[in-house]
Amino acid sequence: MLSKPCHAACRASIWIAVLCSACGSDGDGAGPPTNPSSDAGTEASPDAPSDVALDQVGEAAPEAGPDAPLGPVELTVFHTSDEHGWLQPLVSSGIVYGGAANFFAQIKGDGFDPATDLLVSSGDNWTGPAITTLFQGKPMVDAFNYMGYAATAIGNHEFDFGVAVLSQRASESNYAYLGANLYDKGTDDRVAFARPYKIVRVQGIDVGLIGLTTPSTATATNPKLVADIDFENITETLESVVPEVRAAGAEVVLVLAHQDAYWMNQVAAELTVPVDGIFTGHDHGSLHEVVHGIPVVGSGWGLQGYSVTRFVYDPATEQTSFLDTRFEPVAYAESGSNPVTPDPGLLDLVDGWQAQLDTELGEEIGYTETGITMGWQEGNWVTDAWLWAFPDADVALQNFGGLRQPISPGVIKLEDVFGVMPFDNAIYELELTGAQLQEDLAIGTESCTMGGCYIAVGGITFSGTGSSVSVTLQGGAPLDLQATYRVLVNDYMYETGPYPLKAQDPTPIDLGVNFREPVVDWTRQLNTSPSDPLEAHIDSTPRNQ
Ligand SMILES: [Zn+2]
């Protein structure tokens, strides 16, 4: 069993958590899409791997599958991460990114053969556009099943709907949800809903896949959802699990880590047990490095790209060699033609879920001529909607990281607001003094010089950053440090920080509405149209001047 002290790497994880919780309802590398960044069916894929044994998890090597090879075998791994529910393509600035049917067609054209290759993920399969979020991740499980994924790490977003839903999703999958560093709180027992590793037989080779979850999940996810789980140190977990997987028969050991490449490079550098490859996630990056002979490979996000990594296993020497790796984007110019023919089965699957979504969230609630951009325009829309819905409140604060995508020009549907604000966050009302509010703004504006501020505000504006921030009330009066203000925040900010809201007001009022409801209600009653679009009603001015 693992011991669970908090050493340097653990403290490092806490540091990441502080960064992450400041920037998002999660802190992933969510950003603009251009950042290089019947029934819908659970039918088995016609392409499901025929000789990849799928169900031997955390146990001895599979008995099924092809016989052991006589000579060296080339093993090709197709990897994605942080798919975030992007089943449909994302169109931005004239580029069509991703789309599950395009992605799958492209990897097949790029040589992916489910009978001989591995397709794996480093987690955060869901939470994103409404097509996946409304159905709590189920459409992604269907798509992964169809494409023949062998395993995924459990990402922090896999907890967004609670452990019960995650367990349900795992039970619906033909692949494994892996989290070797997840333990029942305060015990040496691994959680019941995840398996630490899985051994699959590919071309006669037993490949061990180990999954890891970023320890920052403990604080970057709403703590209500993960209170019963310990997220253990990644290096210590590998030191313990790799020998376990080798002893269980794995000839090749690959790590699926829902953790940034920056940290996994360090893990690779300090590991004393042999792993053959590390596939990263959470940071949405697509670079790779070879550290102490171990390839550490990132594969982008949103099914907008993937990596192809090749190894050679020699049964005579029982050695695995890294051959090469490459990252391939899935994108084309909107003005051009799609370079691939979208996979028809996957297209049907996605269309089925889209039809169901349109039934539930297809209601048209407004119109925008220009689209609503991420940043202050979107933030002001949200915070002003809260203050419209709760006129007795003075101030509204919303972390920018919890607003996940822009609104495209044209008709605005319920599902669009759902995509912007996909989380099950409630609105809390707090009583804060002006001094406390100033303290929160100092924290929320600390990184304004790094390309934006962490925090959207309503009812106030501010100038300056950090400890020199100056707050002004709507109408121009200065903030009264002695006075008490009613402040609206989402419960994620309250529970997670980095703001000391819990200490400032230990008895918040839960207003009992999801944080997107006022946005929907306000937008709906504005009755916007092509001649009177939503942007005419939104204050688009930055509130940090
Ligand atoms: Zn993540």
Side-chain angles (χ1 to χ4, degrees), residues 240-288:
S240 155
V241 174
V242 171
E244 200 181 320
V245 179
R246 295 270 179 196
E251 294 159 303
V252 176
V253 173
L254 304 176
V255 176
L256 306 177
H258 194 77
Q259 178 69 307
D260 299 6
Y262 175 83
W263 295 107
M264 293 313 294
N265 286 339
Q266 295 189 17
V267 170
E270 63 195 35
L271 266 188
T272 66
V273 291
V275 306
D276 299 304
I278 295 176
F279 295 89
T280 60
H282 192 54
D283 59 4
H284 298 192
S286 57
L287 301 177
H288 73 270

Side-chain angles (χ1 to χ4, degrees), residues 87-302:
L87 290 176
Q88 299 279 26
L90 172 61
V91 183
S92 176
S93 304
I95 308 287
V96 181
Y97 295 93
N102 291 336
F103 160 78
F104 194 48
Q106 186 170 326
I107 65 168
K108 285 193 293 184
D110 199 1
F112 172 67
D113 178 349
T116 56
D117 302 328
L118 271 176
L119 177 57
V120 289
S121 167
S122 284
D124 274 6
N125 307 154
W126 53 72
T127 306
I131 188 172
T132 307
T133 304
L134 183 69
F135 307 106
Q136 300 189 314
K138 176 76 162 63
M140 283 310 279
V141 174
D142 286 358
F144 271 33
N145 281 343
Y146 179 91
M147 291 189 275
Y149 274 76
T152 180
I154 293 177
N156 50 302
H157 280 291
E158 263 64 73
F159 294 97
D160 282 348
F161 309 113
V163 166
V165 172
L166 172 54
S167 300
Q168 173 67 22
R169 294 291 90 89
S171 74
E172 293 158 353
S173 71
N174 299 332
Y175 51 93
Y177 279 84
L178 303 175
N181 61 326
L182 308 180
Y183 285 77
D184 289 333
K185 191 91 182 170
T187 76
D188 287 335
D189 302 328
R190 283 179 173 139
V191 296
F193 60 85
R195 296 157 179 196
Y197 64 88
K198 160 180 177 172
I199 297 176
V200 295
R201 182 161 293 170
V202 190
Q203 300 184 72
I205 312 165
D206 289 333
V207 180
L209 302 170
I210 300 172
L212 296 166
T213 305
T214 174
S216 68
T217 304
T219 47
T221 297
N222 194 324
K224 287 177 184 170
L225 299 172
V226 293
D228 298 334
I229 304 165
D230 281 331
F231 297 85
E232 297 301 342
N233 176 282
I234 278 178
T235 306
E236 289 173 16
T237 299
L238 286 176
E239 293 287 344
S240 155
V241 174
V242 171
E244 200 181 320
V245 179
R246 295 270 179 196
E251 294 159 303
V252 176
V253 173
L254 304 176
V255 176
L256 306 177
H258 194 77
Q259 178 69 307
D260 299 6
Y262 175 83
W263 295 107
M264 293 313 294
N265 286 339
Q266 295 189 17
V267 170
E270 63 195 35
L271 266 188
T272 66
V273 291
V275 306
D276 299 304
I278 295 176
F279 295 89
T280 60
H282 192 54
D283 59 4
H284 298 192
S286 57
L287 301 177
H288 73 270
E289 275 191 46
V290 179
V291 180
H292 288 186
I294 304 168
V296 182
V297 178
S299 304
W301 74 287

Side-chain angles (χ1 to χ4, degrees), residues 478-542:
L479 189 70
D480 180 347
L481 298 182
Q482 316 301 327
T484 300
Y485 297 94
R486 293 187 185 188
V487 179
L488 306 178
V489 300
N490 67 60
D491 66 332
Y492 168 83
M493 292 171 66
Y494 183 83
E495 298 288 345
T496 308
Y499 311 99
L501 300 171
K502 259 185 169 163
Q504 291 174 343
D505 183 353
T507 55
I509 299 169
D510 182 344
L511 294 174
V513 299
N514 181 287
F515 75 149
R516 74 181 84 87
E517 276 178 48
V519 182
V520 168
D521 293 343
W522 187 44
T523 304
R524 194 187 265 133
Q525 68 88 40
L526 284 171
N527 255 326
T528 55
S529 65
S531 60
D532 181 28
L534 179 63
E535 54 271 25
H537 300 268
I538 297 178
D539 173 13
S540 300
T541 313

Side-chain angles (χ1 to χ4, degrees), residues 290 317 447 460:
V290 179
T317 60
S447 78
I460 55 174

